[in-house]
Amino acid sequence: MNEIFLSGTVGSSFWEEEYFTEASVRDMLAGLTGPLTVNINSGGGIATEGQAIYTLLKDYAGEVTVVVNGIAASAASLIAMAGDDIVMPLGAILMIHDPATWAVDGRGTEDDHLKAAKQLRVMANSYAAIYAARAGITTAEAREVMRAETYYDGDAAVAAGFATKTDDSAPAAAAALFDYRIYAHAPSALRAVGDALGKRPSARAIAAMLSGTTKSKQEQTMKRKPNAKGNPVKHQMIDDQDPALENDDDTTLEDQADDDLTAEDEEETTAEEDDDLTAEEEEETTAEEDEAEEVRATAIMNLCKKRKVSTKQAARYIAMGLTAQQVQGLHPLKNGNNMPKMNTSLPRARIIRDERDTRRTGMTAALVAQLSGGAPSHGAGRAYMDMPLYQLAQAASGQQVKMARNSGQIMTVFMDASHSTSDFPAIFQNALNKVLLDRYSEFQPSYRQIAKQKNFRDFRPMPLVRSGDFPMPVPVPESGEIKWGTFSESGETAIIVPYARGLTISRQMMVNDDLGAISELLDGYGETLAYFEEHTFYASALGAKLSDGKDLFHADHGNLASSASGIDPTSISLGRSAMRKQKSKDGLALSLSPSILLVGPDKETEAEMVVAAITPTDSEAVNPFAGKLQTVVSSEIQGKAWYLLSGRAPCWVFGYLEGQEGPRVRTEEPFGQQGFKMTVEHDFGLGAADFRGGYKNTGA
């Protein structure tokens, strides 16, 4: 059994507390196989980091059990949703709420706030979809839970569907250190946890960091300034770019703070003081952090040794972020509670953060934002937003970032950045992948409305079981003997095929820093891939043959009109009657009814007139199908044929290779004299599953 511990804040350390990141979790998972237990004790953190860690755990190949060892709040609660099983020990807390920010980029204009609101809405809806899928509720219902900032104990979490079971065999650990005062409805017991943090940034600054938002210009230039009476005003806000604000003595941070901010919050160290830390002071701070962590770990190890607790268990307590006092409470001495002496003279082991991963993430986010014309999805990307492409290549290669004087120097930069030691090819490829997938996702081909998605585990033909082919229950006799049934195999299969095409991003685009042209290339190819799926589907689906050797729509199947006719209530009624009479292979009545009217361009207007809800003046002119059928139109359908389809028993399935549900860009060659050569790869499959959920009329 594999086991990892996610303790502390998600994504970053805000007040010298323990924390974990997407990169550190990725390292924990590297090389692991089989069942995995994830122990979480976190008050929350950066929302985007939480979503990235959730995805890592969802993509883990083995079964994942999440144990909330203390608290899983905010972003940590989203991470918990990745578990196949979610266990709540006695006293554990789960908190779900809306992502929030108290700061926006820019000067704080209306456009700045509207942009921030749009980004929050996207993030909140993304979170809500995950919560909704776990609890079996709608996204709208999940949003209501989030807006209410809802706290659950074990029983309530299980009842709501956000956990699978409780565990009363052992109490949960103390809640992770976190400044819970930033949450509107945090219980007093959680707010008291923050008292152990000592000196902290203001609640406003913390919330800004949690949302991944950097401090605004006003916050960065915050200074002390005397008011009109000559008395110093604490944290007077001065914008160096706006003289009007500089002369406004009444504008203070206190005026903008929420009512629940304390005086202690208002007296925090300003962002300017933080920015003035020298490299020497930062080294001293890091050394103090390491020393404090070492003292805590040493005290726990000594205490566990004295209590005869295994070294493995002691390591778990350290990873969970417990203090020596908390461990002592779990293993008290029978003759007293004397704490072991701390040995602070041991050699230090320092943990160095992987700045390379942060740089990669930031550059990828910046490049995606430049290609898409939006804001970077990760805070680290802001530092690279103003860099032209060749300077990103310089930074990714570890070169000194400087201005190129001519095209020859730019070419040299790209050639150097193509070497295996450079991160630039991988960063560029990742950015192209993200943008292409986004553009591809914008298009919704019509076939997805009439077929059911069923992904493929591998490239072998996938057997299909039709609706209604499951054995019916039968009465259990007094003897209690249960009769066993068998599937009525249909013999239908679906096939997936790998597709690919080579593309070139020319050296002219690279040298000219023409990200707009690259973006248009990806935009066009995203639409092309969606059209490719549409064309491939209809080229095979409508004329497909089933395992009995007959066409999908055939008179022997009872789903082909005996005579061609236009779309009207009479002809639709005949089709509905035929579908109602369809039976399973075992002879069971299915009682299917049409919900979709599928047509080509030649029949679009006629179809819309039939399904339109029009109030007739004559009772005999009532259209019984008005408002009951959804019209689906595809330009791939030629001629006058039209189809009735049931959503309950789809005639076709489509799918992708599991884990590869979209197109992928792969760099085929590094940058050379002719530019970047790459391939776009896409795995797409389909198959005819069932004739009984459809009806065809050749049309007139």
Side-chain angles (χ1 to χ4, degrees), residues 15 43 71 73 93 95 97 102 149 151 175-198 200 203 206 258-262 264-265:
W15 40 78
I71 187 170
I93 298 173
M95 187 274 273
H97 73 159
W102 286 0
E149 187 181 304
Y151 292 78
L177 286 180
F178 192 86
D179 199 345
Y180 296 97
R181 68 200 171 107
I182 68 171
Y183 298 147
H185 306 301
S188 57
L190 287 180
R191 289 178 175 269
V193 174
D195 295 338
L197 296 173
R200 295 159 283 176
I206 294 167
D258 292 340
D259 293 338
D260 62 345
L261 290 181
T262 65
E264 179 184 355
D265 299 334

Side-chain angles (χ1 to χ4, degrees), residues 404-437:
R405 292 192 296 271
N406 53 55
S407 298
Q409 289 185 348
I410 294 177
M411 286 285 294
T412 300
V413 169
F414 286 127
M415 294 289 286
D416 292 342
S418 300
H419 296 163
S420 59
T421 55
S422 170
D423 290 336
F424 182 67
I427 291 170
F428 194 63
Q429 177 175 295
N430 288 343
L432 294 178
N433 265 309
K434 291 179 183 295
V435 174
L436 178 61
L437 188 58

